[in-house]
Amino acid sequence: MNLREQDEAIRRTRRNRNRALGLFLLFLVVLFYAITFVKFGA
Amino acid sequence: MSLNPASPAPPPAPAIQLPADWRDFLALTKPRVMSLVVFTGLCGLLAAPGHINPVLGFTAILCIALGAGGAAALNQWWEADIDALMKRTARRPLPTGRMARTDARDFGIALSCASVGIMGLAIHWLAAVVLAISIVYYAVVYTIWLKPRTPQNIVIGGGAGAFPPLIGWIAVTGEVTAMPVLLFAIIFLWTPPHFWALALFVRTDYANAGIPMLPVVAGQAATRRQILLYSLVLLPVTLAPWAIGGTGAIYGLAALALSALFVVLALPVAFRRSGDGDPMRPEKRLFGYSVLYLFALFGALVVDRMVLA
């Protein structure tokens, strides 16, 4: 793996990780609203 | 699995260190162990008398899963050096150098705190307290304190894996009664024969890593006797929920059949000697069955509850 491929691989890994974290946080936000709705009504 | 004692050398670190991928963080949570934790927690929740809104029930199970994942990450953070010495664990993210140890520690603490906080705010503070106790029990009492010190580590550490049905039950009822305590006791007594069956056929790994597992410290004969002893004690305890009227006959008969088969499979493990190069088939069979056993037993509990309801 040359330097450019290595750089690309690192960027791709970071991007995937950030996407996964973003999706998880989005899921928690949706869950927060769902719990609030269930516990306290509309 | 090979038992060649000369083989458990850690794989060489990759030449190029990429940053940890999301899969590494997922691996840190021990997903396979988590599946059993989630299943028993869900069974505790479904078997409890009363009703919980599906969104809150899902949240409670998510918190149990996050808590188990956080505790597993803290376990791997603490045991990274030991994991590197054992073939079974050498490919984990920390021993292979794919992730910094501090990242694993911070991830574990974040998951643990989030799970307890959400459980308390959204479900029930008693469930959150028990969840927090289970995380500290596994990450500190078992991993840091007992595992490297005593061959009874599995017996006491088994308590950590026994909490999920108790937490699931409390999430619904908000109280601790005899039934969830019995569910706790079942997993508590199931853990030693389950792990000792595994420890018998990977004992060289544990010996190389310096972990005082029972087969390493007390020898195979003593471990085999203990496996049978725990299997015999487990049988009446699994029947206790039926005896106190907490379940119906569906669970009772399933528990009787499943636990009797557990004892039957423990017998050849208890009354045999093994030497070098032994394929350890009875031990592997008991280990495989023990996983199936727990799924089937708790599955029967839920089916029984649904039929009764």
Side-chain angles (χ1 to χ4, degrees):
Chain A
M1 193 183 277
N2 63 36
L3 208 61
R4 182 189 280 184
E5 285 172 338
Q6 183 185 337
D7 195 40
E8 179 55 33
I10 289 172
R11 252 187 295 179
R12 196 170 51 240
T13 308
R14 285 209 177 112
R15 195 164 55 229
N16 284 342
R17 200 171 73 182
N18 290 341
R19 274 182 190 161
L21 181 65
L23 282 173
F24 184 66
L25 290 176
L26 181 69
F27 165 73
L28 284 184
V29 169
V30 172
L31 186 66
F32 169 78
Y33 277 106
I35 291 168
T36 307
F37 183 81
V38 166
K39 284 188 85 101
F40 304 109
Chain B
M1 189 177 286
S2 165
L3 288 172
N4 180 1
S7 61
I16 297 163
Q17 294 293 330
L18 292 176
D21 195 34
W22 64 270
R23 293 175 195 84
D24 293 320
F25 283 94
L26 184 67
L28 217 54
T29 63
K30 298 187 184 176
R32 274 192 296 182
V33 175
M34 197 198 278
S35 67
L36 202 61
V37 166
V38 165
F39 180 75
T40 54
L42 181 66
C43 289
L45 188 134
L46 293 175
H51 175 261
I52 187 168
N53 183 285
V55 173
L56 298 183
F58 170 78
T59 307
I61 295 304
L62 179 73
C63 289
I64 292 172
L66 290 181
L74 290 171
N75 168 275
Q76 290 192 48
W77 158 65
W78 187 260
E79 294 188 337
D81 298 335
I82 297 170
D83 284 349
L85 300 172
M86 297 199 292
K87 204 162 49 182
R88 189 172 62 87
T89 53
R91 293 192 180 280
R92 285 176 176 173
L94 289 176
T96 49
R98 293 199 304 274
M99 184 187 291
R101 280 184 80 159
T102 49
D103 285 354
R105 180 198 62 197
D106 298 346
F107 180 64
I109 291 172
L111 278 187
S112 304
C113 292
S115 65
V116 173
I118 296 171
M119 182 71 98
L121 290 168
I123 311 298
H124 203 286
W125 279 107
L126 181 59
V129 167
V130 178
L131 179 62
I133 291 171
S134 73
I135 293 168
V136 171
Y137 195 100
Y138 183 71
V140 179
V141 176
Y142 170 66
T143 301
I144 297 177
W145 185 31
L146 293 172
K147 192 174 176 183
R149 283 179 177 77
T150 166
Q152 292 300 315
N153 48 21
I154 286 303
V155 177
I156 306 156
F163 278 105
L166 185 65
I167 298 167
W169 189 286
I170 295 171
V172 176
T173 63
E175 59 182 11
V176 181
T177 53
M179 262 299 287
V181 172
L182 282 173
L183 299 182
F184 178 96
I186 288 169
I187 301 183
F188 185 76
L189 291 168
W190 164 88
T191 307
H194 165 75
F195 267 106
W196 284 333
L198 169 75
L200 279 172
F201 58 84
V202 295
R203 67 190 181 284
T204 47
D205 267 10
Y206 284 117
N208 290 337
I211 298 173
M213 292 296 279
L214 197 63
V216 178
V217 177
Q220 288 196 45
T223 307
R224 292 170 188 285
R225 278 198 303 273
Q226 292 286 320
I227 286 175
L228 181 60
L229 189 70
Y230 272 88
S231 307
L232 289 169
V233 175
L234 182 63
L235 197 150
V237 174
T238 58
L239 294 175
W242 187 25
I244 66 167
T247 68
I250 294 175
Y251 168 82
L253 294 173
L256 182 63
L258 289 164
S259 301
L261 185 56
F262 200 110
V263 173
V264 167
L265 290 176
L267 283 170
V269 175
F271 295 108
R272 77 188 283 268
R273 293 176 184 279
S274 55
D276 290 335
D278 191 318
M280 293 263 180
R281 281 173 66 181
E283 292 75 11
K284 288 180 181 173
R285 198 170 51 191
L286 179 65
F287 176 73
Y289 174 73
S290 67
V291 178
L292 184 73
Y293 167 84
L294 206 64
F295 274 106
L297 190 71
F298 277 78
L301 183 75
V302 174
V303 170
D304 185 280
R305 168 84 190 146
M306 288 182 170
V307 169
L308 278 181

